[in-house]
Amino acid sequence: MQTLAHFGDGGPGPWILLFPVIWALVIGGGITLLRRTVWRGRRGGPWGRPTVESDSPLAALGRRFASGEIDEDEYWRRLSVLNEEFGRRGGAA
C-alpha cells in the first residue's frame, strides 16, 4: 500500500484502485440491463404470461373476491365448481 501512495517515486498512486471499481460498475450495469430487458421474458414469474386469461370465468371470480364482493367461502365454492366445469390447463385440477 505504501507504493501506491508515492506519486513521485514512479508508483501508480491511489488512482489505480479506481479502475477495478469502474469495471465492477460496468459489469454490474450490463447485467442489470440484461436482466431488465432481454432475460425478462425467458423465465417464468410474476412478469411472465398469466396462467388465466383476463376474460375467463376464473379471472372474473378472482376479481370479485379481490374487490370484496364475495367472501372466502363463496370464492372456494365457486372455484371448485368452475374447476370441475372448465378444468385447468395442463391437467392439474
Side-chain angles (χ1 to χ4, degrees):
M1 197 65 178
Q2 206 48 329
T3 355
L4 292 176
H6 292 288
F7 290 97
D9 293 341
W15 296 105
I16 192 77
L17 300 176
L18 185 63
F19 292 112
V21 171
I22 290 174
W23 277 111
L25 289 173
V26 167
I27 292 171
I31 290 173
T32 302
L33 181 68
L34 286 173
R35 286 187 65 171
R36 290 185 165 267
T37 58
V38 177
W39 294 338
R40 177 172 276 193
R42 293 188 183 171
R43 290 185 283 162
W47 52 83
R49 286 186 65 198
T51 56
V52 177
E53 288 81 23
S54 60
D55 59 343
S56 73
L58 293 173
L61 180 65
R63 281 192 301 271
R64 289 186 64 199
F65 177 63
S67 67
E69 291 180 37
I70 58 175
D71 62 351
E72 186 178 359
D73 292 332
E74 187 174 356
Y75 170 77
W76 288 112
R77 246 184 309 119
R78 291 180 183 216
L79 183 64
S80 66
V81 170
L82 288 174
N83 277 336
E84 288 175 9
E85 186 174 337
F86 292 102
R88 290 220 184 240
R89 292 192 177 134

